[in-house]
Amino acid sequence: MTDDQLIQMLRQGGLPRERANRFLQNKFFYLIRQLGVRQQRLSYDEAQMAFSDALTELDWKVRQGDDIEDLGKMIYTLTHRRGVDTIRKRTTKTNTEPLNNPVSTSALPEWFLDALQNLDADHVLSRLMQHENEQEKRQRQLRIMGCVLKALDQLPKKRRSLLANKLDGYDYEELTQLHGFKTERVAHEMVSRGMNSLRDTLKNLCQMGEPVCQDLCTWLNRKNQL
Amino acid sequence: MENPQHTLIEKYLDGALPPGERAAVEAQLATDPVLATELRLHEAARAAVTVQALLDHRERMQRRGKQMLFWKKLQWQILDAFEAVFMEKRDNNPGRLRWGLIGGLSLATAALVLYLINPGLFFPESNQSSSPMVIAQEQAAEAYDTYFQRLDLRNTLGASDTDTLFQNAQNQYSAGNCTAALETLEILLSDETFERRPMALLLKGTCQLDQGNAENALETLQQVPPAAAGLHQDAQWYIALVYLKLERTDEASKLLRAIAADARHRHSAEAGKLLGMGK
């Protein structure tokens, strides 16, 4: 498979995206040993985590429309960066847990926040996470992520994964098979209900004055349109 | 039932509305704060699902990666171990192969494989001894009749023996007159100082066997001392034939195998043939 084909499959979403990811994981799995273990002196498990994160990030970048010329080079670069993150984490304490939210943001890697921050400018997360002061920006990112994770945490795991699959590009026929619904109509109804409960949950968090949701709620209740 | 307002907002966010409808929604948003809040709520929920999708994808990749790593790690660790043995480590340089060690081990492996395929290449005698050759009970008589013959003394008779009595015994033996030969040999063997005792014992034993007196022949032939080298080997051969005569085939087979396995034994080839009779 050529890079162009793989990029096309990743952008297509659903099952083609799964196949492309599997292909890339098999093809570049050797990086765990060559780069992570041998060059960066990581353990096999650490190197595997770095490699998986690199693939996740690559998938994210492709889906966001980033222009990638050489997938192999990009995977190498990202795996190297995630390896460096792992080495840094060993020696420094990261300031990623200043919040009192039950759903911890400390489990999220740094690149994760950056990836969300670098969504296209119109995206709500991108807009909400902007701030001139770098430190305040990071705090805001963490608060917004904390609020989002808290809202997600109140939904059953199956429902969360159904919504994520829908966003990942699975059509209703595939969702019906994947989640064992009787008909496509049921799948459609479940997605619709899932989105409704997520919105209700966000609304409730704002009504209860959840501190971690302060930024998000202020934005939601603005008088003007955007 | 789906809420029509929700459907409209979703279509708007998806960019799926025709230009006219889109403009109408935007005009409404500018004047309707409730609709604007609802739109932002939809956006926030979508953003949350985006985060969830990213988290799910990461989890999937890590889970699959862990499964793949389980076997790959084992394979890599074996490779690491081989590399530690066969590569000479050098600072900041790729290691150099230890060709001497690789060559030596390759030769040893090749030799081992050859030995496993054909042990006879290394130990020729083991080829014969390894075959489970035995004389069957019913073949004992036939084997004895085929292979027994008295010693051929023509070569030894070339030079006249200084001991006239022993010369007589040999002449009688060669003429097939075992009865006379046995009497003469008995006289010779009763003399403790007689020097050619091993040869005399051999002649006596084979004559006794020729006359069908196998038990006595066995006793006589067993007296031929190992120090008599070639004569002792002759005696062993005749002892094997005695066993056949007595139909003691297990002992005969065992002794014949030992003779066949010894390439320097003067009856090695005959023993091999005899053992091969039943095949």
Side-chain angles (χ1 to χ4, degrees):
Chain A
M1 269 191 272
T2 64
D3 280 6
D4 285 343
Q5 285 172 321
L6 287 164
I7 288 172
Q8 201 185 343
M9 286 166 79
L10 289 173
R11 286 194 178 138
Q12 205 178 331
L15 290 173
R17 174 185 175 226
E18 276 301 300
R19 278 198 292 276
N21 272 312
R22 215 173 263 266
F23 178 85
L24 289 170
Q25 197 169 24
N26 287 332
K27 187 176 176 187
F28 294 101
F29 205 72
Y30 72 92
L31 286 176
I32 291 175
R33 180 169 182 250
Q34 295 282 11
L35 177 62
V37 176
R38 297 197 146 184
Q39 287 186 29
Q40 298 184 306
R41 307 276 174 208
L42 300 174
S43 72
Y44 276 112
D45 289 332
E46 285 173 333
Q48 190 275 126
M49 295 282 266
F51 177 65
S52 295
D53 273 2
L55 287 177
T56 310
E57 197 179 346
L58 176 88
D59 175 87
W60 174 263
K61 280 177 183 292
V62 171
R63 285 166 65 79
Q64 293 310 309
D66 282 15
D67 192 20
I68 294 168
E69 282 183 11
D70 187 330
L71 285 179
K73 268 187 195 167
M74 180 55 84
I75 291 175
Y76 184 94
T77 308
L78 293 175
T79 308
H80 188 269
R81 281 188 201 156
R82 299 294 75 83
V84 171
D85 288 349
T86 309
I87 296 164
R88 273 201 203 126
K89 213 190 247 177
R90 280 184 196 156
T91 49
T92 54
K93 282 187 179 175
T94 48
N95 186 26
T96 52
E97 206 167 12
L99 305 163
N100 281 330
N101 60 313
V103 185
S104 172
T105 51
S106 66
L108 297 176
E110 290 284 310
W111 67 266
F112 199 96
L113 294 174
D114 293 337
L116 292 169
Q117 171 73 66
N118 293 331
L119 281 160
D120 73 85
D122 285 344
H123 197 281
V124 58
L125 287 174
S126 192
R127 274 179 283 157
L128 281 170
M129 288 174 173
Q130 283 299 342
H131 200 279
E132 286 169 6
N133 182 310
E134 275 302 314
Q135 204 178 345
E136 174 54 29
K137 185 172 151 185
R138 180 58 61 170
Q139 292 298 312
R140 184 181 281 205
Q141 284 178 344
L142 291 168
R143 280 197 299 271
I144 288 167
M145 283 308 295
C147 180
V148 164
L149 291 177
K150 189 160 191 170
L152 287 168
D153 195 49
Q154 292 184 23
L155 254 61
K157 190 167 171 37
K158 277 191 177 178
R159 189 165 285 190
R160 289 201 308 257
S161 114
L162 173 69
L163 297 179
N165 287 151
K166 180 71 188 85
L167 188 94
D168 280 343
Y170 286 90
D171 59 29
Y172 284 111
E173 190 186 342
E174 287 166 339
L175 288 177
T176 305
Q177 287 180 358
L178 205 63
H179 291 269
F181 298 128
K182 282 186 180 169
T183 60
E184 285 178 38
R185 184 159 181 78
V186 176
H188 192 276
E189 181 67 23
M190 295 307 286
V191 170
S192 183
R193 278 193 203 175
M195 287 306 284
N196 282 342
S197 10
L198 188 55
R199 285 193 292 268
D200 288 346
T201 309
L202 284 167
K203 227 188 275 183
N204 286 340
L205 286 171
C206 286
Q207 279 167 2
M208 288 188 304
E210 176 63 44
V212 83
C213 291
Q214 191 190 335
D215 302 284
L216 190 71
C217 297
T218 309
W219 174 76
L220 277 176
N221 296 319
R222 273 162 68 168
K223 292 272 159 60
N224 58 343
Q225 185 199 337
L226 294 171
Chain B
M1 286 295 289
E2 283 191 46
N3 182 327
Q5 192 188 44
H6 289 174
T7 312
L8 184 72
I9 291 172
E10 287 295 314
K11 280 187 178 171
Y12 173 76
L13 289 173
D14 284 338
L17 286 178
E21 282 184 47
R22 186 173 179 81
V25 170
E26 280 170 358
Q28 201 183 345
L29 281 170
T31 54
D32 186 350
V34 178
L35 182 65
T37 304
E38 192 61 37
L39 176 83
R40 284 193 286 267
L41 198 57
H42 274 253
E43 276 190 283
R46 281 179 165 219
V49 176
T50 306
V51 171
Q52 182 65 48
L54 190 54
L55 285 170
D56 279 2
H57 184 62
R58 183 175 185 241
E59 192 189 317
R60 255 195 321 275
M61 295 307 283
Q62 286 186 352
R63 200 174 44 237
R64 203 188 300 148
K66 262 186 199 168
Q67 285 167 357
M68 285 171 73
L69 187 66
F70 183 79
W71 289 112
K72 270 283 180 189
K73 195 161 109 180
L74 194 69
Q75 189 185 329
W76 285 335
Q77 281 169 342
I78 292 169
L79 277 175
D80 287 344
F82 270 98
E83 214 175 88
V85 175
F86 293 114
M87 295 279 278
E88 204 175 333
K89 286 261 169 92
R90 294 184 162 200
D91 292 341
N92 301 324
N93 279 326
R96 209 177 61 172
L97 278 171
R98 292 180 168 132
W99 283 110
L101 185 62
I102 293 171
L105 280 176
S106 304
L107 281 175
T109 310
L112 182 68
V113 170
L114 279 175
Y115 173 75
L116 290 174
I117 293 169
N118 186 3
L121 278 177
F122 297 88
F123 309 105
E125 65 271 22
S126 67
N127 195 20
Q128 292 171 348
S129 63
S130 65
S131 51
M133 293 189 286
V134 288
I135 304 293
Q137 195 82 24
E138 59 274 15
Q139 287 178 322
E142 184 194 343
Y144 173 82
D145 291 341
T146 309
Y147 283 89
F148 176 75
Q149 56 185 38
R150 288 191 310 280
L151 284 166
D152 184 357
L153 297 177
R154 274 174 299 181
N155 292 335
T156 54
L157 290 175
S160 145
D161 203 290
T162 48
D163 189 323
T164 317
L165 197 56
F166 185 56
Q167 183 68 58
N168 280 344
Q170 288 185 92
N171 289 338
Q172 288 158 351
Y173 183 93
S174 295
N177 185 359
C178 264
T179 311
L182 278 172
E183 283 174 13
T184 314
L185 288 166
E186 204 59 55
I187 297 165
L188 286 166
L189 288 168
S190 62
D191 179 1
E192 293 294 324
T193 60
F194 177 56
E195 287 177 354
R196 305 198 58 185
R197 176 172 291 274
M199 185 62 183
L201 285 167
L202 191 59
L203 295 178
K204 183 183 172 187
T206 49
C207 261
Q208 286 171 324
L209 188 55
D210 195 21
Q211 289 186 329
N213 194 355
E215 297 286 357
N216 288 342
L218 182 61
E219 198 180 321
T220 308
L221 289 166
Q222 281 171 339
Q223 290 175 42
V224 177
L231 296 178
H232 180 255
Q233 290 182 358
D234 286 335
Q236 280 185 312
W237 167 247
Y238 283 110
I239 289 171
L241 295 175
V242 171
Y243 285 141
L244 288 177
K245 183 81 177 165
L246 295 171
E247 296 191 348
R248 287 158 63 174
T249 47
D250 287 347
E251 287 158 290
S253 300
K254 191 177 169 187
L255 184 53
L256 285 167
R257 280 200 297 271
I259 294 170
D262 182 356
R264 288 169 303 174
H265 199 289
R266 56 168 70 171
H267 295 281
S268 172
E270 286 167 289
K273 277 186 200 166
L274 200 156
L275 284 165
M277 270 182 71
K279 288 170 81 176

